[in-house]
Amino acid sequence: MKKLQEHTLERLCQQVMKRICVEMEASGRHVHVTKAQAQQLFGHDLTPCRELSQPGQYLAHERVTIIGPKGKFENVAVLGPARKEAQVEISLSDGRVLGIDPPVRLSGSVKDTPGITIRGEKGEIAIECGVIAAQRHIHMTPEDAQRFGVADKQVVRLETYTERPLVFGDVVVRVSPDFQTSVHLDFDEANACGFKQGDLGRILS
Amino acid sequence: MKKLQEHTLERLCQQVMKRICVEMEASGRHVHVTKAQAQQLFGHDLTPCRELSQPGQYLAHERVTIIGPKGKFENVAVLGPARKEAQVEISLSDGRVLGIDPPVRLSGSVKDTPGITIRGEKGEIAIECGVIAAQRHIHMTPEDAQRFGVADKQVVRLETYTERPLVFGDVVVRVSPDFQTSVHLDFDEANACGFKQGDLGRILS
């Protein structure tokens, strides 16, 4: 009986935590390409390998090498579906290896960003812009936005319940019924706070 | 006359900032070795190349390769003077490349930490422990500790005035008359806050 109660309390506690906190995810370096670029790189459209947390988004079977003036990364993830514009999301640490200094930008904001070479199984392309370090952000459903009292494009602070706790500033909230609520960090940020899968964060303002 | 005043104001402003803030530094991966290990690796003692911010500490001319089960880094900095025990300080990102999961520890606390292979010009050694991710910390003079109202080993929060502002938790203050006051971050942390040389931080509590 005692054990059952403890189990119930633990579950209740978890539910409460999920109400006041948001789940976090660490995104590794990855590439978005257009339908035409997928043809050039792989000779066919992107093929889904695994669903991602955001509905409709997937990790593709296809992989690429990204090549900068000072270094390269092989076996880099490609995310689908195809987009209207290519985008390569790397961390500032990655930038150092590649010899590229990416600006911190929201996804889709690629004007005046550096270019890079992308190599696939069947071909290679050089994009003139598109390399960014993703600004930390929270994908959020309209229901959760209302619950947390935040609006689309609002900038908030996020306290992390992690091994190396910190409070991230400049976290952009993005609200859409197409989203699932989740904080997206890059690996520099994930490592700086000692993030482990399942760790939660709390919106401060 | 107006220009002179502006210049004076700017200098005053800088002086005030330095009074309420602390300077920050990003430490790349580096290695400390014993005198005997320096002999094994290089055939001679460490030779100073450049002084570091902490008095008496220097970057050595000697460089090493550090080799883990999954990867290696070449041309890694060795810091002098020689220590009583070897220590290899890497970021969690570096750990991923090497295939080593370093605990977050203060310098000198190497009990039950992973080992690694270190290769120098003249020889190679395998250390049984000593690989850590350095806990973020502030070296501080006793005068500054009094001014900021903090004590040796106190854990504080540090707000960064950087491109990607955040508040680091779990920052350990270390006070010694041998120190110069300076925050030490690893590259994950430096990149997560968008640190650039000369950026300042402020102790919050």
Side-chain angles (χ1 to χ4, degrees):
Chain A
M1 182 64 185
K2 185 150 182 268
K3 203 169 177 186
L4 230 178
Q5 281 176 339
E6 272 172 19
H7 178 71
T8 309
L9 276 174
E10 179 57 30
R11 277 189 57 194
L12 182 62
C13 184
Q14 280 177 10
Q15 290 299 321
V16 170
M17 281 298 280
K18 283 201 176 173
R19 272 295 170 97
I20 57 175
C21 295
V22 281
E23 292 187 20
M24 303 198 291
E25 283 180 274
S27 303
R29 67 187 79 100
H30 65 268
V31 171
H32 299 277
V33 294
T34 67
K35 202 172 155 64
Q37 287 167 339
Q39 289 292 336
Q40 287 178 275
L41 292 167
F42 315 116
H44 54 74
D45 285 347
L46 294 178
T47 56
C49 167
R50 178 168 64 77
E51 285 188 2
L52 300 176
S53 67
Q54 295 312 308
Q57 304 294 304
Y58 61 83
L59 173 70
H61 282 292
E62 291 72 25
R63 295 261 163 176
V64 292
T65 298
I66 56 175
I67 306 155
K70 280 178 72 175
K72 64 181 181 180
F73 288 107
E74 297 175 345
N75 200 34
V76 173
V78 180
L79 305 192
R83 290 200 178 180
K84 284 187 185 166
E85 238 175 340
Q87 184 169 292
V88 176
E89 296 181 39
I90 62 174
S91 68
L92 299 184
S93 291
D94 290 345
R96 193 173 270 263
V97 174
L98 293 167
I100 294 174
D101 188 18
V104 177
R105 293 279 185 92
L106 279 179
S107 184
S109 171
V110 296
K111 200 185 165 202
D112 298 329
T113 58
I116 198 167
T117 298
I118 307 173
R119 184 183 295 157
E121 209 182 59
K122 292 281 171 66
E124 186 175 295
I125 58 172
I127 58 171
E128 282 184 17
C129 69
V131 181
I132 64 169
Q135 181 168 2
R136 40 197 180 231
H137 57 277
I138 312 179
H139 290 273
M140 200 177 278
T141 62
E143 295 73 29
D144 282 341
Q146 191 168 26
R147 198 153 59 78
F148 289 117
V150 294
D152 189 41
K153 299 195 178 70
Q154 188 173 333
V155 176
V156 299
R157 290 178 305 139
L158 183 92
E159 182 172 16
T160 69
Y161 296 132
T162 50
E163 193 192 346
R164 306 168 105 176
L166 56 77
V167 177
F168 285 116
D170 272 1
V171 186
V172 180
V173 177
R174 300 175 60 193
V175 181
S176 164
D178 298 335
F179 289 158
Q180 179 179 304
T181 300
S182 174
V183 177
H184 281 206
L185 303 174
D186 68 22
F187 269 94
D188 286 334
E189 295 162 336
N191 287 329
C193 72
F195 169 78
K196 291 199 168 53
Q197 208 182 341
D199 285 347
L200 299 173
R202 192 163 67 87
I203 294 170
L204 292 189
S205 59
Chain B
M1 183 63 188
K2 187 155 181 260
K3 203 168 177 187
L4 231 176
Q5 281 177 343
E6 271 172 17
H7 178 71
T8 309
L9 277 173
E10 179 57 32
R11 278 189 56 194
L12 178 63
C13 187
Q14 280 177 10
Q15 290 300 322
V16 171
M17 280 299 279
K18 283 202 176 172
R19 272 294 168 97
I20 58 175
C21 295
V22 280
E23 291 188 19
M24 304 197 293
E25 282 180 275
S27 303
R29 67 187 78 100
H30 64 266
V31 171
H32 299 276
V33 296
T34 67
K35 202 171 154 69
Q37 287 167 339
Q39 290 292 337
Q40 287 178 275
L41 292 166
F42 315 114
H44 53 76
D45 286 348
L46 294 178
T47 55
C49 167
R50 177 168 64 78
E51 284 190 3
L52 299 176
S53 67
Q54 294 312 308
Q57 304 294 303
Y58 61 83
L59 172 71
H61 282 291
E62 292 73 25
R63 296 261 161 177
V64 292
T65 298
I66 55 175
I67 305 155
K70 280 179 73 175
K72 65 181 179 180
F73 287 106
E74 297 175 344
N75 200 35
V76 174
V78 180
L79 304 192
R83 289 198 179 182
K84 283 187 183 164
E85 236 174 341
Q87 184 169 293
V88 177
E89 297 181 40
I90 61 174
S91 68
L92 298 184
S93 290
D94 290 344
R96 193 173 270 263
V97 173
L98 294 166
I100 293 174
D101 188 17
V104 177
R105 293 278 185 90
L106 278 180
S107 183
S109 170
V110 296
K111 200 183 166 204
D112 297 330
T113 57
I116 197 165
T117 297
I118 306 172
R119 183 184 298 157
E121 209 183 61
K122 291 281 171 67
E124 186 176 295
I125 58 172
I127 58 171
E128 282 184 16
C129 68
V131 182
I132 64 168
Q135 181 167 0
R136 40 197 179 231
H137 57 278
I138 311 178
H139 292 272
M140 200 176 280
T141 62
E143 295 73 29
D144 283 341
Q146 191 168 25
R147 197 153 58 80
F148 290 117
V150 295
D152 189 43
K153 298 196 178 72
Q154 188 173 334
V155 176
V156 299
R157 291 178 305 138
L158 182 92
E159 183 173 18
T160 69
Y161 297 131
T162 50
E163 192 191 345
R164 307 168 104 175
L166 55 76
V167 177
F168 285 116
D170 272 0
V171 186
V172 181
V173 176
R174 300 174 61 193
V175 181
S176 163
D178 297 335
F179 289 157
Q180 178 179 306
T181 300
S182 173
V183 178
H184 281 205
L185 304 174
D186 68 23
F187 269 94
D188 287 335
E189 294 162 337
N191 286 328
C193 72
F195 168 78
K196 290 198 170 51
Q197 208 181 341
D199 285 346
L200 300 172
R202 192 164 65 89
I203 294 169
L204 292 190
S205 59

